[in-house]
Amino acid sequence: MLKKSLIALGALLLLFPTAAFAAEPSNAMLDMGLNALWILVAAILVLLMQGGFILLETGATRMKNAGHVAGKTIFTVGLCSLVYWAVGYGFTFGAEASEGLNKFIGIGDFFFDPAKAATESDSFPSTIFFVFQLAFAAVSLSIAWGGFAERAKLSAYVVYTLLFVSVIYPVIAHWIWGGGWLAQDGAQDFAGSTVVHLTGAIGAFAATLLLKPRIGKYNKDGSANQIAGHNQVFSALAVLILWVGWFGFNAGSAVAVGDGFFGFVAFNTQLGAAAGAVAAMFISWIVLGKSDIPTMLNGALAGLVAITASCAFVDPWAAVVIGLLAGLLVFASMRFFEKIRVDDPIAALSVHGVAGIWGTLANGLFATEELVEKVGVGAPGLFYGGGFGQLWVQFESVVVCGAYAFVASYVLLWIMKKVIGFRVTEEQEIMGLDLSEHGTYGYPEQMKKTSASV
């Protein structure tokens, strides 16, 4: 029996080289498979960031709104997916348009059909690219919800999702990523400091201006009251989930694994996040006398947001500088918005808006000639012999994209406010959105105890 087994094994070994040679895929097929696998993994990481947003917004708001925050996030991601499939992807990457029109908006690939869709690259399937880009749109939408927190009707989330994913986010994404006019100018935004983060933050800004502050946030003399979130552990876990998911966000945007460049992008991402967390912790400790936990957490996120545009264009030392300044900026920005009576419960304007602006502009300073040549977008920054040219393009993209996102969001939300209403009633806000919008509590036992004690 043993002898027969050895003979069979020997025959297999003799045949193996021939069989392996016959079945060996081409280099192109192997590259496509590896790229597709990495992009899909990256897309999953970005989609899992929604778990981070659930915990972040829940932890930063009050217990009576916890279930609402979690539920509306799942629902809006679902609605976002359908709208992006129907029109969002087509307005971003659709190419069937005249040359002049296509500079401003994509046309084509509506109701995305993998069999008919224009393929972004021969190195990975269009279906995987679609899922990856959908995850980015969902993140930008979740950022906008920071301006709605604790006071917006559920119907407002439905309507704004339809509008944001169809006529706001896709237009800006097309300008920079879809071959639009800013892309032709050489705008550098590798993974979305402007496209994703600034766009979402500006949507949040428009919403919070129209909704006005939460009840009890400001006194008649203009001084602010702290409305503490109910769970800082949730918030810290949220930041860790988002931090990990960001590797899909940034490194995934390399959309290739062949030369290992995605590892360099991940390396810069880690440095930027780390520097932001450390800078925010120390500045709050110095100014406040105590190291403020929410500031520390927001510093890490600000570092991630800032490095998102530049992670593929700058040297590691510059990634640290970008993250450090983002951590300092988020501390100052949070205090500024509170002083001017802009009620931003999860600091979306500071973390995603201000840090997004800084991260986009940073390319105009720190982008190196070697990395610009590798990525193939734009020109070197001011400190690397490029003059002010790239800095101007980065400034232009921030101003134009920010202005479009604000005007479109404000006008559409203002119309919605007049037609169907935007904010819950005072009684509903005091009661909490869990009960007033959904008829149940996120923490039923705890809230029953609280109600009984009152």
Side-chain angles (χ1 to χ4, degrees), residues 245-258:
W246 230 284
F247 291 106
F249 213 84
N250 288 4
S253 293
V255 294
V257 299

Side-chain angles (χ1 to χ4, degrees), residues 11 25 32-33 64 73 79 93 116 166 170 173 210 226 256 285 290 296-297 312 334 355 392 398 413 421 454:
M32 183 176 183
K64 62 184 179 180
T73 300
L79 184 57
F93 296 105
K116 300 177 181 178
S166 59
L210 286 166
Q226 183 181 13
W285 198 355
K290 300 285 184 181
M296 187 192 315
L297 300 178
M334 288 166 61
W392 167 254
V398 164
L413 289 172
V454 174

Side-chain angles (χ1 to χ4, degrees), residues 322-400:
I322 291 168
L324 285 171
L325 287 176
L328 299 178
L329 282 170
V330 79
F331 175 77
S333 177
M334 288 166 61
R335 293 164 67 84
F336 169 77
F337 282 119
E338 184 164 275
K339 187 174 182 179
I340 65 172
R341 298 172 63 89
V342 173
D343 186 13
D344 182 15
I346 64 168
L349 306 183
S350 301
V351 170
H352 301 279
V354 173
I357 291 171
W358 159 237
T360 304
L361 295 176
N363 275 340
L365 301 173
F366 301 116
T368 73
E369 183 176 2
E370 179 185 4
L371 291 170
V372 167
E373 183 178 347
K374 181 171 184 59
V375 178
V377 178
L382 177 64
F383 298 153
Y384 285 85
F388 288 95
Q390 190 61 43
L391 185 59
W392 167 254
V393 172
Q394 299 303 102
F395 175 77
E396 175 188 40
S397 64
V398 164
V399 172
V400 174

Side-chain angles (χ1 to χ4, degrees), residues 26-37 123-124 255-258:
S26 67
N27 288 337
M29 290 178 61
L30 183 60
D31 287 345
M32 183 176 183
L34 291 173
N35 292 340
L37 179 61
S123 62
F124 48 82
V255 294
V257 299

